[in-house]
Amino acid sequence: MKYSIEQAKDIISKSIRVKSIEFIGCGNHSEAFCVNNDMVMKLPKHRKASDHLKIEMQVLQGLKQKVPLDIPNVLFNGTFTAGHKEFVYFVSKRLNGKKLSKAEFLMLDERTLFQNAEIIANFLYRLHNEKDILPIKRKDLVLLHGDFSLNHILFNNENVVCGILDFADSRVGKSKSDFSYLLDDKDDEEFGANFGKTVLSIYESYKVF
């Protein structure tokens, strides 16, 4: 399912007054629109995606004030009907920050790269130790971001990580799943394996304590 600007506006207009709305991107599960310059509305692309949005909202609400970085906070959510089926959507505050390409990221000085590695390792460690947000039935399984890529990270003006986006693939699984992009040296859009190994080393050091 693909949404026009008018369709998106019609859906959210039932909840708030829309002064401006623009399409800002899409992923496997949803399309995102910026509303009134400071909010993001996520609309599901299909039925299964609607279920993913429910899980994403549950994870975001459960993580609120529990992780050291900005994450989308659910301001409100709602439902709409399309093709005789009911779908969910939610709206969150638009986070401040910028994205960096792989080339821009790898040009950062060593001190900033290491600082970012520490921040990411700390975030993932805290995320993976949240036990009460989704049902976890085995000790070797954790709460995952599910799509932890460079494209879902925001940086401040000093090029330091300040926010994490897109929890649409959040699920329970093995912790190594959240390191797949970090350790991928072949993807031209990702961090590079050397950086990923630094993150993993710091992450593993937390388990000692």
Side-chain angles (χ1 to χ4, degrees):
M1 189 158 43
K2 194 170 180 62
Y3 302 90
S4 67
I5 293 290
E6 286 305 314
Q7 286 173 318
K9 183 177 179 180
D10 182 61
I11 291 169
I12 197 173
S13 290
K14 294 177 175 63
S15 299
I16 63 168
R17 181 186 174 196
V18 179
K19 299 176 182 177
S20 65
I21 183 169
E22 62 176 317
F23 175 77
I24 55 174
C26 65
N28 293 328
H29 302 298
S30 61
E31 293 191 350
F33 294 81
C34 180
V35 181
N36 296 346
N37 297 317
D38 62 355
M39 292 181 287
V40 174
M41 174 173 63
K42 294 189 74 171
L43 294 170
K45 295 171 71 172
H46 44 76
R47 182 64 188 173
K48 188 176 179 181
S50 186
D51 295 332
H52 276 273
L53 284 184
K54 292 178 184 178
I55 295 173
E56 184 174 7
M57 282 190 286
Q58 182 178 345
V59 170
L60 291 173
Q61 290 168 330
L63 287 176
K64 190 176 180 180
Q65 297 180 335
K66 290 185 177 181
V67 289
L69 295 170
D70 287 339
I71 60 173
N73 61 322
V74 180
L75 298 174
F76 62 90
N77 62 84
T79 61
F80 64 96
T81 302
H84 305 292
K85 293 181 180 180
E86 188 174 78
F87 296 85
V88 302
Y89 74 92
F90 75 84
V91 175
S92 61
K93 185 173 178 61
R94 190 171 192 177
L95 300 184
N96 293 321
K98 62 182 179 180
K99 294 183 180 181
L100 296 180
S101 67
K102 179 177 181 177
E104 291 170 329
F105 182 76
L106 294 179
M107 285 183 66
L108 300 180
D109 60 84
E110 288 188 17
R111 180 177 174 277
T112 304
L113 283 171
F114 188 77
Q115 184 179 1
N116 283 329
E118 287 184 311
I119 293 170
I120 290 173
N122 181 257
F123 170 81
L124 288 175
Y125 186 76
R126 291 198 188 190
L127 175 69
H128 294 169
N129 279 276
E130 286 296 329
K131 305 299 183 184
D132 301 321
I133 297 175
L134 295 180
I136 299 176
K137 299 179 180 179
R138 284 169 33 189
K139 290 184 177 180
D140 62 330
L141 301 180
V142 301
L143 174 63
L144 300 171
H145 177 277
D147 193 9
F148 198 82
S149 67
L150 184 57
N151 189 48
H152 294 148
I153 295 180
L154 294 176
F155 298 83
N156 62 23
N157 290 334
E158 286 71 48
N159 296 317
V160 174
V161 177
C162 63
I164 306 295
L165 301 172
D166 201 345
F167 288 71
D169 287 298
S170 290
R171 63 188 186 278
V172 171
K174 294 193 174 183
S175 59
K176 65 180 181 182
S177 296
D178 268 342
F179 287 89
S180 58
Y181 290 122
L182 281 161
L183 297 172
D184 187 347
D185 213 22
K186 297 180 181 178
D187 194 325
D188 291 336
E189 296 182 356
E190 292 303 337
F191 308 84
N194 287 337
F195 177 79
K197 290 174 182 176
T198 301
V199 174
L200 182 59
S201 176
I202 297 169
Y203 176 94
E204 292 289 346
S205 73
Y206 293 144
K207 296 181 179 180
V208 176
F209 301 99

